Amino acid sequence: VISVSEALQLLSSSFSPVEVEEIALNQAAGRVLSTDVESDVNLPLFTNSSMDGFAVKAEDIAGAQEDQPVILSVIEDIPAGSSPSKRIGEREAARIMTGAHLPEGANAVIPIEDTDQYKPRSRSESLRLPSEIEVYRSVSVGDYIRLEGEDVKSGEVVITSNSRLRPQDLGFLAMLGISEFSVFRRPRIAILSTGDELIPVGEPLQPGKIHDSNAYTLSALISRDGGIPEYLGIVPDQERAVRESLELAVEKDADLIFSSAGVSVGAFDFVRSVIESDGELEFWRVNMRPGKPVAFGNFQGVPFIGLPGNPVSAFVGYEIFGRPSVLRLGGIRNPTRKSIQVEVVQDIRSDGRESYLRGIVHSKNGEYFGRLTGHQGSGNLLSLVQANALLIIPSGVKSLPSGSKVDAWLLEPT
Ligand code: AMP
Ligand code: MG
């Protein structure tokens, strides 16, 4: 029996990223970059106005006030998307829209609100370019101007490799004009459910049978972490069937195989023995609760994680060992999990193993408080359905009085 941290240590050195592929920007949400992205443009691309107003020379309107307006002649209209054709001379201005290219000679923008043009008027009236404007206040050089390159300089690394692309990253890549780039391909993750008692959901139950639920939980977890789940079905408790199913996973080029159940010490638990005979077994028991029987090794060279059969244990085992493995395969370098400090509001008993208990956490005045979601049997999946967190009771702890602080993982939709 090894500790959770020893097991994680072993796993962390066993997974490296899969190959890369080219992807189009519109397909890239949630994918993991395999190279640094360097900008080959300045951002902003050109110096432009940050307001609707008039491009001016700041010195021309230095003394302008509401009751002492400065009059400027308007020489040009610069709508967004156009390019100025004239240079601003003394006492001249050009009407300019937000985002439009600042003309030569101008060094500031006076917002339309600070001129006589800011009056509720008809659309046709406001479309007409005035020949003169009255300006009611001064501005400083640089006001309401976004300078070329002030956000990003050409040549700068703007997004680093091995990061998962978020919505704002995608918009930013579009800003840079990058429509195709390399990402890690999504790892292929095989799932097999072992057990003579299992019946596919949708088919009628018979005496002593239950529906295979782990496959659904695991598929969704794998998708969440960027993998492609490949469910290989229910495998009977027979050595040959287990071997054939693992061989199928190898044929399908799985990057990692998950099984649930059959790694314990029961008379019909064949998974472990097949891994031992056709691969290598690194460990098969971890000092934790729920889910002590967790196996890790490889089958014909393909990494294998054997999760416990009990539905809560399978989930917890995946979160602890599966998640970082799938993330590493997908190109995430050091997968970490944010934990929060929670004050428990009830006495909690544990058995000295590192325990991951189902809880409900709420926050009050910036602090987190947690309680358990009823009975913690590892077959009671409702305790996990009602939970929004796993409360982590460290190893060696057997009782925890109300008011103690523990670490917790939030189980939020991601
Ligand atoms: P085992 O690891 O084979 O001893 O199974 C432990 C418990 O998990 C038993 O109650 C099994 O019936 C249950 N179990 C095993 N596989 C699944 C599955 N795929 N879905 C739901 N429960 C399962
Ligand atoms: Mg079984």
Side-chain angles (χ1 to χ4, degrees):
V1 183
I2 64 174
S3 71
V4 171
S5 63
E6 285 168 329
L8 282 173
Q9 193 64 41
L10 260 170
L11 281 175
S12 72
S13 52
S14 306
F15 291 97
S16 46
V18 297
E19 317 84 82
V20 302
E21 62 187 15
E22 292 293 298
I23 195 159
L25 179 59
N26 63 2
Q27 302 293 311
R31 300 297 296 269
V32 180
L33 274 177
S34 64
T35 57
D36 287 347
V37 173
E38 196 176 285
S39 177
D40 61 7
V41 296
N42 290 322
L43 287 181
L45 294 163
F46 48 86
T47 299
N48 67 89
S49 175
S50 69
M51 295 285 276
D52 293 332
F54 293 85
V56 298
K57 289 179 179 299
E59 53 275 23
D60 283 350
I61 60 170
Q65 285 176 26
E66 189 94 51
D67 53 357
Q68 271 181 314
V70 169
I71 297 177
L72 300 177
S73 49
V74 178
I75 61 166
E76 189 173 26
D77 209 6
I78 315 169
S82 73
S83 220
S85 64
K86 294 182 180 157
R87 188 187 169 85
I88 303 297
E90 234 169 82
R91 303 239 149 204
E92 289 181 340
R95 186 163 75 170
I96 192 165
M97 299 301 140
T98 305
H101 201 305
L102 194 78
E104 294 285 320
N107 58 18
V109 167
I110 179 84
I112 195 164
E113 290 88 337
D114 299 311
T115 71
D116 64 342
Q117 299 301 303
Y118 185 57
K119 302 210 182 72
R121 293 174 306 166
S122 69
R123 160 91 32 192
S124 62
E125 239 182 308
S126 55
L127 274 175
R128 204 177 319 120
L129 187 66
S131 57
E132 282 185 350
I133 52 163
E134 290 187 1
V135 174
Y136 299 137
R137 74 165 173 102
S138 59
V139 288
S140 303
V141 171
D143 279 0
Y144 306 108
I145 284 177
R146 306 187 281 216
L147 285 178
E148 175 179 343
E150 73 178 8
D151 301 339
V152 174
K153 302 259 182 308
S154 175
E156 213 176 296
V157 170
V158 282
I159 311 182
T160 50
S161 69
N162 304 83
S163 48
R164 195 180 292 290
L165 293 167
R166 304 163 300 167
Q168 62 268 45
D169 302 322
L170 300 177
F172 191 65
L173 288 166
M175 258 191 179
L176 301 176
I178 299 175
S179 60
E180 216 185 72
F181 44 88
S182 334
V183 294
F184 295 100
R185 74 167 166 76
R186 295 175 61 192
R188 290 181 291 270
I189 316 289
I191 303 169
L192 39 113
S193 299
T194 73
D196 282 340
E197 72 276 35
L198 302 178
I199 299 254
V201 64
E203 285 182 24
L205 289 174
Q206 289 137 31
K209 308 282 185 185
I210 61 170
H211 288 127
D212 171 13
S213 60
N214 290 343
Y216 294 88
T217 310
L218 293 174
S219 292
L221 287 167
I222 288 163
S223 299
R224 178 200 68 183
D225 294 335
I228 303 175
E230 179 126 18
Y231 178 41
L232 300 183
I234 292 168
V235 186
D237 286 322
Q238 293 155 18
E239 180 154 351
R240 220 187 72 191
V242 169
R243 181 172 290 110
E244 278 172 7
S245 190
L246 289 166
E247 275 166 353
L248 181 61
V250 176
E251 261 167 52
K252 288 182 170 266
D253 281 330
D255 299 301
L256 168 62
I257 306 167
F258 283 105
S259 71
S260 73
V263 285
S264 196
V265 291
F268 301 98
D269 290 337
F270 290 114
V271 176
R272 182 158 49 91
S273 60
V274 173
I275 295 295
E276 275 174 324
S277 66
D278 292 46
E280 278 146 333
L281 191 68
E282 303 263 5
F283 61 80
W284 65 281
R285 273 179 307 182
V286 179
N287 192 24
M288 58 183 276
R289 185 178 70 119
K292 186 174 171 189
V294 176
F296 173 60
N298 71 77
F299 178 80
Q300 298 179 4
V302 179
F304 165 85
I305 296 178
L307 297 168
N310 273 310
V312 175
S313 312
F315 178 94
V316 171
Y318 179 89
E319 287 294 71
I320 298 175
F321 302 111
R323 176 181 176 275
S325 306
V326 172
L327 291 178
R328 277 204 176 84
L329 283 169
I332 301 294
R333 271 206 182 115
N334 285 306
T336 52
R337 178 137 202 171
K338 214 175 95 190
S339 66
I340 56 167
Q341 276 264 304
V342 171
E343 178 177 325
V344 298
V345 299
Q346 70 185 91
D347 296 341
I348 293 177
R349 264 204 298 276
S350 191
D351 68 354
R353 284 183 282 168
E354 182 163 325
S355 299
Y356 292 75
L357 305 182
R358 281 69 73 201
I360 295 174
V361 165
H362 71 275
S363 70
K364 201 173 155 190
N365 304 328
E367 304 233 41
Y368 289 106
F369 298 89
R371 62 185 167 83
L372 302 182
T373 54
H375 103 83
Q376 298 282 310
S378 55
N380 177 17
L381 196 54
L382 183 64
S383 68
L384 198 46
V385 167
Q386 292 173 335
N388 68 0
L390 291 176
L391 308 184
I392 306 170
I393 316 300
S395 72
V397 174
K398 292 206 164 158
S399 87
L400 207 60
S402 178
S404 312
K405 300 236 166 154
V406 296
D407 283 339
W409 288 348
L410 289 178
L411 304 175
E412 285 165 328
T414 44

